[in-house]
Structures are given as C-alpha cells and as structure tokens.
Amino acid sequence: MTRRAQDDLLSLHELLPLAWSAATRAGAFLRDERPDDLTVDTKSTETDVVSEMDRAAERMIVGDILGVRADDGLLGEEGSERAGSSGVRWVIDPLDGTVNYLHRIPLWECRSAWKSTDGRRWPSSMYRCCARRISPYGGTVPGWSVTEKGSHCR
C-alpha cells in the first residue's frame, strides 16, 4: 500500500490516525520488548490470564489517547476506566490473544476502538503481530486495512 493510500484511509475519520498510532506503537512494543520470563496473573478464571505486557501496553495506549484527547472516556480490558465529557469513549484490548502471546504463537492483536456516547460505533484500529496490519472493525468503512510492507514477526 502506498503512503498516499494509507493517508487516504486514515483521513476517513478524525480519530483513525490516533487509533492507528496508539495500536501500532503498543503492538510494536509487545512484539519487540517481550521479556523471556514474563510475569503472568489470572483474572476471572484460571484460563483468563493477563501478563505484565498486557498491562504495560494498555498504559501506553491510554497515555497516547489522553495525551491528545484528555476529555475522552475510556474502558480498558486490564482495568483502565474513566468517564469523559467529549462524547467519545475508547475501548481498549491491549493484547487480544494473551495465551498465544505467552506461548510465542504469533496470533495476537492489539486493539483500540471508540464509539460515541450515543451508541454510534466508528472504525477501530487493530494491530496484528505478524502482518503489522491495521484494520478497522465496525463503523462506517467496512473491509479495508492498512499493512506495512516488508513486515515480519519474531
């Protein structure tokens, strides 16, 4: 995909560049900074696991979003939550596929999405480990994705 095509896609909604940036940065962190010995806890059940990397990626995404849009609300899978006054609420899953990630199976994603507080959903960004692909889910632009060329997964 050319840089112009990528820019055209990201211009479809004012929040897409922020979602892209936050998901890409956190996804690259998860891919490149994974320690050999990873601290892992459980949440609701013994099979519902969370790692230190899940939590760190969520903090990274939250910081990126609030650094630009301090009045937005958000809800993160790993516990981040705040009310907002802008009419936008971000929904964050910093590491979808934690079990795969723990076993070094490159089938995991980093997601940042948003919706208006009146219930309308907009496209969201999702970073896929191996493809470095950002794709939107839901909203007004179904079926497109942006992929970096020459990507690989460790």
Side-chain angles (χ1 to χ4, degrees):
M1 171 170 289
T2 67
R3 177 70 184 182
R4 180 178 171 154
Q6 175 181 314
D7 290 345
D8 288 347
L9 290 174
L10 293 176
S11 72
L12 293 174
H13 191 280
E14 66 180 288
L15 297 180
L16 275 172
L18 178 56
W20 162 279
S21 172
T24 300
R25 192 166 89 87
F29 164 76
L30 290 166
R31 186 192 67 236
D32 297 339
E33 302 299 327
R34 184 191 189 284
D36 289 332
D37 60 336
L38 201 53
T39 302
V40 180
D41 297 313
T42 58
K43 296 188 290 188
S44 61
T45 67
E46 288 186 24
T47 58
D48 186 12
V49 294
V50 60
S51 74
E52 62 189 275
M53 297 299 282
D54 293 76
R55 292 180 176 129
E58 182 166 302
R59 285 191 302 272
M60 185 178 288
I61 293 169
V62 168
D64 286 355
I65 291 168
L66 296 181
V68 176
R69 298 189 50 92
D71 295 329
D72 288 357
L74 58 87
L75 175 65
E77 182 176 352
E78 309 314 335
S80 299
E81 186 170 9
R82 74 186 294 262
S85 59
S86 68
V88 172
R89 185 175 194 201
W90 293 82
V91 180
I92 301 161
D93 186 350
L95 181 49
D96 185 16
T98 300
V99 172
N100 287 341
Y101 183 79
L102 294 175
H103 293 285
R104 296 188 183 272
I105 299 169
L107 299 172
W108 54 267
E109 302 168 347
C110 179
R111 299 177 187 220
S112 59
W114 69 92
K115 65 179 186 175
S116 62
T117 53
D118 67 6
R120 290 179 295 141
R121 290 182 46 193
W122 297 99
S124 59
S125 288
M126 182 259 319
Y127 176 98
R128 288 191 181 152
C129 167
C130 283
R132 293 189 187 181
R133 173 179 285 172
I134 299 293
S135 302
Y137 283 97
T140 58
V141 192
W144 63 262
S145 66
V146 178
T147 306
E148 291 182 34
K149 294 176 79 174
S151 303
H152 67 282
C153 186
R154 294 181 190 191

